[in-house]
Every structure is written in C-alpha cells, then in structure tokens.
C-alpha cells in the first residue's frame, strides 16, 4: 500500500563449535533491533576450527537460517557473521573468510561482515555506562575464550585465548573414561560448586552400557583445574596492560561457559576486580525469555551490531543526499 514505510530486516549468523545460531531482527524506525526469529542447529563439517566438509557445513547453515526465517516469516539473504570457532586461526583469517563466504554462497547467502564474538556479545550485555567507565568482558565459548576491555565507549583491547569450556568436557571424558555427552552432563551438574568431598558420582562408561561410581572430588578437581587455567590466562593477559582495580566497571562474564554453576563467585575470588557479574542479553527486543541467556549473547548481539552499522550507513547516505539536493 502507498504511504507505508518499508520494513527492514537484518540477519546474524553465529557459528560456534557446537551449534550454529541464525537470528533475524527487524530494525525499528528508531534503529533498534527487534528479534523476530531464531534458529539453531548442531555444527557439522568443522574440525579443530577448520571447515573440513563444506557440503555438510553449508547444509546446517541453511537449516539454521531457514528455521529463523520461518519463525520471522521473512526471507533474509545477507548476514553479519561471528565465527568464534575460527578465532584461534587468526593467521589463516583470509582463508577462513573465503571458506565461510563460499559455504554461505552455496545456499544463496551473503556474508556482510565478520565480527569478533566478544564485540557482538558486548552489544547485547554491556550498557553504555559499562563501556564508558572501563569494563572487561569475557566471552567464554566452547574452544575459545575472548576478552575485551572497553573504555570511553570503545573497545581498547581484544584478545583470544585458545581454551574454552569444551576442554572441560573433554578432560572429564578422558580422565573419567566416559563419553563426551556424559562429560558435558557432569560439567553442568557440578560446575564450580563446593560439594561434600566424600560423595560418589554415578558415571556411564563409554557406550553407556555400564554405570560405575567415581569420587565426586575427582570430577571436581578436573573441572577446577581447567577453569583455573582459563582465569590464570585471563589474569595474565590483562595485568600485562592494566591495573585491574582501575577498571571500575569490573568483569562481566558471558557466553555458554559462564553458565557453569558458581563460576561468578569463583572468578570473584581469583580476579582483583571491584565486582564480577554475569552478563545476559537485556537490551534486545525478544519474544522468548529463554533467548535472554548468556549462551545467546553473541547471536543476539550480532543483529544489534548490524542495526548500528545499518543506521550509520543510512546516516551517511542521508548526508550525501543533503549534499546532492543543494545541486538539484
């Protein structure tokens, strides 16, 4: 109908080591992203951060996008992308861009821009005040932990550490001689809690045919050892450049790894920050409460990042139109 404003949609594609999440948002007249659809699928075709099966990889990207399109009832072909699975391979970034672009092109999608996962997450979990006063954001992913320091509204430092919470799962599976899925269950069950050391834990053997008892403190030691390593690396990385007590915004944890039970208290005991908090998406317009979860921070933050970029582009175009109008 004449006179109706054209609706504008934007897509975000978050490619992780365990899942691919596609988010579609409508950009409001004021420039905010309102999430209309979200689709996720298990990641296939990636091994150790490399695309090993481009056909399978393309198919799961397509599946995740189609699920989000169906929910949003709109077709979107251009996507901002974050691929934390590949951050450890910074020296191969050009090849990664090509692989991703090729995988997306196979299913009719365009890669608009690659965005570091931690910057996408920041859009969803940090306030403008957080970014202005000096805040550290740690995005705890599967195989990568990303760290960013914000000050005066800008990211002034970004780093990527080649260790994440999937390593905890692998450690448990190897040391307890069980499956990856059982390792994941134990990790989620125990987290960083302080439990009665004398208790036993029921653990399935590889294949799941037998149950055996393992001392709970053995599993807790495995988890604590890896988490301690992660925070020691974060502490070393930051203290080489900053006095942590001089960052009044403190430390904000987000990403799937931040859901480990009692990890905020553990981080608070290990890091010399004024405060440590859990960062959940809170600034996006979402229709489902379960999306307001740290594990979706980078996914939702991507469309917020894209909405900001779109607004800036429109402002530039508007500026050029104003210049042209003077000569018309």
């Amino acid at each position: 109908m004449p006179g109706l404003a054209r609706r504008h949609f934007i897509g975000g594609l978050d490619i992780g080591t365990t899942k691919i999440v596609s988010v579609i948002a409508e950009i409001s007249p004021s420039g905010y992203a309102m999430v209309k659809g979200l689709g996720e699928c298990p990641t296939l075709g990636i091994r150790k951060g490399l695309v090993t099966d481009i056909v399978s990889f393309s198919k799961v990207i397509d599946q995740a996008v189609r699920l989000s399109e169906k929910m949003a009832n709109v077709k979107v072909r251009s996507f901002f992308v974050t691929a934390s699975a590949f951050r450890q391979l910074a020296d191969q970034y050009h090849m990664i861009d090509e692989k991703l672009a090729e995988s997306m092109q196979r299913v009719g999608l365009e890669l608009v821009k690659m965005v570091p996962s931690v910057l996408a997450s920041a859009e969803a979990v940090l306030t403008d005040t957080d970014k202005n006063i000096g805040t550290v954001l740690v995005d705890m992913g599967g195989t990568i932990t990303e760290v960013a320091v914000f000050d005066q509204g800008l990211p002034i430092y970004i780093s990527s550490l080649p260790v994440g919470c999937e390593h905890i799962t692998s450690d448990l599976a190897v040391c307890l001689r069980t499956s990856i899925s059982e390792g994941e269950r134990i990790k989620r069950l125990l987290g960083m809690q302080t439990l009665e050391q004398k208790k036993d834990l029921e653990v399935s053997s590889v294949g799941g045919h037998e149950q055996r008892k393992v001392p709970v403190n053995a599993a807790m030691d495995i988890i604590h050892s890896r988490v301690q390593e992660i925070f020691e690396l974060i502490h070393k990385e930051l203290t080489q450049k900053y006095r942590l007590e001089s960052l009044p915004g403190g430390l904000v944890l987000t990403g799937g790894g931040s859901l480990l039970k009692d990890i905020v208290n553990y981080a608070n005991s290990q890091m010399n920050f004024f405060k440590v908090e859990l960062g959940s998406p809170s600034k996006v317009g979402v229709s489902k409460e379960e999306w307001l979860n740290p594990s979706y921070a980078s996914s939702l933050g991507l469309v917020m990042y894209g909405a900001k970029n779109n607004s800036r582009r429109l402002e530039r175009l508007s500026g050029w139109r104003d210049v042209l109008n003077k000569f018309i």
Side-chain angles (χ1 to χ4, degrees), residues 191-193 219-229 266:
M192 299 301 292
Q193 298 177 98
M220 289 169 59
D221 286 346
I222 295 166
I223 297 171
H224 281 243
S225 177
R226 183 64 83 169
V227 173
Q228 182 180 346
E229 178 196 7
Y266 177 82

Side-chain angles (χ1 to χ4, degrees), residues 110-179:
E110 176 194 6
L111 193 162
V112 178
K113 185 177 181 180
M114 288 277 287
V115 183
S117 179
V118 70
L119 293 189
S121 295
E123 292 299 323
V125 306
L126 295 187
T127 65
D128 290 341
T129 300
D130 290 331
K131 293 178 183 177
N132 280 314
I133 65 174
T135 300
V136 177
L137 178 65
V138 172
D139 189 336
M140 302 182 72
T143 59
I144 300 293
T145 296
E146 293 189 76
V147 182
V149 179
F150 289 82
D151 196 20
Q152 298 183 26
L154 298 171
I156 59 173
Y157 177 75
I158 298 177
S159 180
S160 182
L161 306 173
V163 61
C165 284
E166 279 187 31
H167 293 98
I168 302 171
T169 304
S170 298
D171 292 346
L172 287 165
V174 171
C175 295
L176 301 181
R177 293 178 288 115
T178 187
S179 65

Side-chain angles (χ1 to χ4, degrees), residues 10 17 25 28 36 42 70 86-87 94 96 105 129-130 133 135 150 153 157 189 219 221-222 237 247 288 290 295 315:
I10 199 161
T17 49
S28 71
K36 299 296 183 181
K70 184 178 180 180
F86 307 126
R87 293 289 294 162
H94 292 301
I96 290 159
Q105 286 168 4
T129 300
D130 290 331
I133 65 174
T135 300
F150 289 82
Y157 177 75
L189 175 68
D221 286 346
I222 295 166
E237 193 82 12
L247 296 167
K288 295 191 177 183
E290 60 263 33
S295 62
E315 286 171 7

Side-chain angles (χ1 to χ4, degrees), residues 25-310:
E26 182 175 5
I27 301 179
S28 71
S30 55
Y32 290 100
M34 299 177 293
V35 177
K36 299 296 183 181
L38 184 148
E40 60 182 298
C41 296
T43 303
L44 296 176
I46 294 176
R47 183 174 174 79
K48 295 184 178 179
L50 288 172
V51 177
T52 55
D53 184 343
I54 200 166
V55 174
S56 297
F57 186 46
S58 299
K59 284 182 178 178
V60 290
I61 287 175
D62 186 46
Q63 187 178 355
V65 169
R66 286 177 183 273
L67 287 171
S68 62
E69 288 179 330
K70 184 178 180 180
M71 186 179 292
N73 195 29
V74 68
K75 198 175 185 69
V76 174
R77 299 286 87 185
S78 299
F79 285 79
F80 288 82
V81 177
T82 183
S84 57
F86 307 126
R87 293 289 294 162
Q88 60 188 313
L89 302 167
D91 57 328
Q92 301 179 42
Y93 230 15
H94 292 301
M95 181 191 72
I96 290 159
D97 282 346
E98 290 173 10
K99 283 283 189 180
L100 265 174
E102 182 183 349
S103 300
M104 293 174 67
Q105 286 168 4
R106 288 178 66 94
V107 289
L109 304 176
E110 176 194 6
L111 193 162
V112 178
K113 185 177 181 180
M114 288 277 287
V115 183
S117 179
V118 70
L119 293 189
S121 295
E123 292 299 323
V125 306
L126 295 187
T127 65
D128 290 341
T129 300
D130 290 331
K131 293 178 183 177
N132 280 314
I133 65 174
T135 300
V136 177
L137 178 65
V138 172
D139 189 336
M140 302 182 72
T143 59
I144 300 293
T145 296
E146 293 189 76
V147 182
V149 179
F150 289 82
D151 196 20
Q152 298 183 26
L154 298 171
I156 59 173
Y157 177 75
I158 298 177
S159 180
S160 182
L161 306 173
V163 61
C165 284
E166 279 187 31
H167 293 98
I168 302 171
T169 304
S170 298
D171 292 346
L172 287 165
V174 171
C175 295
L176 301 181
R177 293 178 288 115
T178 187
S179 65
I180 290 293
S181 60
E182 185 72 343
E184 182 69 18
R185 182 189 71 82
I186 295 167
K187 178 182 75 175
R188 292 176 182 271
L189 175 68
L190 298 180
M192 299 301 292
Q193 298 177 98
T194 302
L195 300 175
E196 172 56 54
Q197 298 281 313
K198 295 179 181 178
K199 287 185 177 179
D200 285 332
L201 187 68
E202 290 282 344
V203 177
S204 298
S205 61
V206 176
H209 302 302
E210 297 178 6
Q211 291 277 327
R212 51 195 172 79
K213 290 186 177 182
V214 171
V216 72
N217 63 310
M220 289 169 59
D221 286 346
I222 295 166
I223 297 171
H224 281 243
S225 177
R226 183 64 83 169
V227 173
Q228 182 180 346
E229 178 196 7
I230 292 172
F231 280 99
E232 284 178 351
L233 288 171
I234 294 169
H235 188 270
K236 182 180 178 181
E237 193 82 12
L238 291 173
T239 51
Q240 288 177 347
K241 297 179 178 293
Y242 305 98
R243 288 174 55 249
L244 303 188
E245 60 270 23
S246 70
L247 296 167
L251 176 68
V252 178
L253 300 176
T254 195
S258 69
L259 294 174
L260 275 178
K261 291 177 180 177
D262 216 29
I263 196 167
V264 171
N265 287 334
Y266 177 82
N268 196 39
S269 70
Q270 298 297 306
M271 309 288 283
N272 190 26
F273 279 105
F274 172 67
K275 62 178 179 179
V276 179
E277 297 177 338
L278 182 66
S280 297
S282 60
K283 300 190 297 179
V284 290
V286 299
S287 56
K288 295 191 177 183
E289 190 173 341
E290 60 263 33
W291 295 347
L292 298 177
N293 179 305
S295 62
Y296 290 119
S298 56
S299 308
L300 298 176
L302 258 180
V303 291
M304 297 179 66
Y305 180 96
K308 274 189 177 181
N309 273 257
N310 182 74

